[in-house]
């Protein structure tokens, strides 16, 4: 039976979903609260993991070990790395990689974690399809599918942004996706990363971010709810 793990880093990224859950119970683990219940009729576990890669990875492991989730989605906001992505637009991960992982000295491609056989972790095709359909329904004509670049850094400087683009060819940047993807891969759990653009990851980011954080985060949560609905329909079919 499908059980969807839903991860957001910040309160603003999970609060609408928590408010919409039915039959909610809570369990504390490793400093985070895991909420189990139903969303749009689908069994889900929602957690606010906190910012950054370590917080994200450990919450995925708890979702796998203690809750037995069968699928994972990460909902949240991101800085745009593409001139074609405006604030409020949506990105669905085709794949996701680290922009701050460098073992090039030892002959690995930039971003590759030694021991992993890919540099960019591919999202699950079916989840990607559901997420894209859900995103298009919420904000028609404003969704792109592509690479997401993750690292432990809020990007707000044009030079840093440019380097990340060159190193990853990502559409947007955020701080958890690749860690969620890597942990999902190691547990053989299908995942997709879903992000709404809150800023342009340059010198306008400091101004844009506080203004658009909430709008973008809530838009992404709306898409996540619709994704849960589609997963439920697929299971019932
Ligand atoms: N999340 C939202 N905007 C971001 C940015 N500019 N850098 C990293 N993470 C983000």
């Amino acid at each position: 039976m499908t059980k969807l793990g839903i991860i957001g880093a910040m309160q603003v990224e999970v609060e609408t979903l928590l408010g919409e859950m039915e039959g909610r119970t809570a369990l504390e683990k490793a400093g985070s609260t895991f909420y189990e219940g139903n969303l749009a009729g689908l069994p889900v576990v929602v957690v606010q993991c906190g910012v950054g890669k370590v917080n994200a990875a450990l919450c995925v492991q708890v979702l796998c070990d203690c809750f037995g989730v069968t699928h994972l989605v990460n909902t949240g906001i991101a800085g745009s790395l593409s001139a074609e992505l405006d604030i409020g637009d949506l990105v669905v991960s085709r794949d996701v990689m680290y922009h701050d992982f460098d073992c090039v000295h030892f002959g690995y491609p930039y971003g590759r974690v030694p021991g992993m056989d890919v540099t960019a972790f591919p999202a699950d095709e079916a989840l990607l399809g559901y997420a894209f359909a859900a995103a298009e329904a919420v904000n028609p004509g404003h969704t792109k599918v592509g690479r997401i670049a993750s690292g432990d850094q809020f990007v707000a400087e044009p030079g840093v942004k440019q380097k990340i683009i060159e190193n990853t060819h990502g559409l947007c940047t955020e701080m958890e996706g690749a860690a969620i993807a890597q942990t999902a891969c190691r547990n053989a759990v299908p995942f997709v990363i879903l992000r709404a653009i809150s800023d342009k990851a340059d010198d306008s980011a400091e101004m844009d971010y506080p203004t658009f954080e909430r709008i973008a985060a809530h838009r992404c949560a709306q898409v996540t709810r619709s994704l849960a609905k589609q997963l439920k329909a697929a299971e019932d079919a």
Side-chain angles (χ1 to χ4, degrees), residues 78-113:
S80 173
L81 298 176
S82 162
E84 288 174 26
L85 275 168
D86 242 319
I87 288 164
D89 289 354
L90 292 157
V91 178
V92 179
S93 63
R94 176 160 326 279
D95 58 24
V96 51
M97 70 176 278
Y98 296 115
H99 69 66
D100 61 353
F101 203 104
D102 184 350
C103 278
V104 171
H105 178 76
F106 295 106
Y108 294 97
Y110 188 86
R112 174 80 62 96
V113 177

Side-chain angles (χ1 to χ4, degrees), residues 77-79 153-156 173-175 198-199 201 205 209:
I77 55 183
Q153 183 174 21
F154 185 85
V155 181
T173 186
E174 39 80 310
M175 301 177 71
S198 57
D199 59 83
Y209 184 85

Side-chain angles (χ1 to χ4, degrees), residues 2 4-5 42 70-74 92-93 123-134 189-194 227-228 230-231:
T2 304
L4 178 64
L42 187 78
T70 58
H71 298 72
L72 285 158
V73 60
N74 172 215
V92 179
S93 63
D124 178 70
E125 276 296 327
L127 278 179
L128 194 164
Y130 294 139
F132 182 76
V189 174
F191 77 91
V192 70
I193 313 295
L194 184 58
L227 168 67
Q230 289 187 54
L231 266 180

Side-chain angles (χ1 to χ4, degrees), residues 4-10 14 27-35 45-69 71-74 176 179-181 183-184 187 189:
L4 178 64
I6 301 174
I7 306 162
M10 297 178 297
V14 296
L27 181 73
E28 300 285 329
K29 206 89 189 155
S32 284
T33 310
F34 293 76
Y35 296 95
V45 183
V46 178
V47 61
Q48 179 195 337
C49 67
V51 174
K53 297 185 299 186
V54 171
N55 281 330
L58 78 85
C59 278
V60 171
Q61 198 58 51
V62 171
L63 285 170
C64 293
D65 287 348
C66 302
F67 294 94
V69 298
H71 298 72
L72 285 158
V73 60
N74 172 215
E176 295 83 23
I180 290 168
T183 315
N187 287 276
V189 174

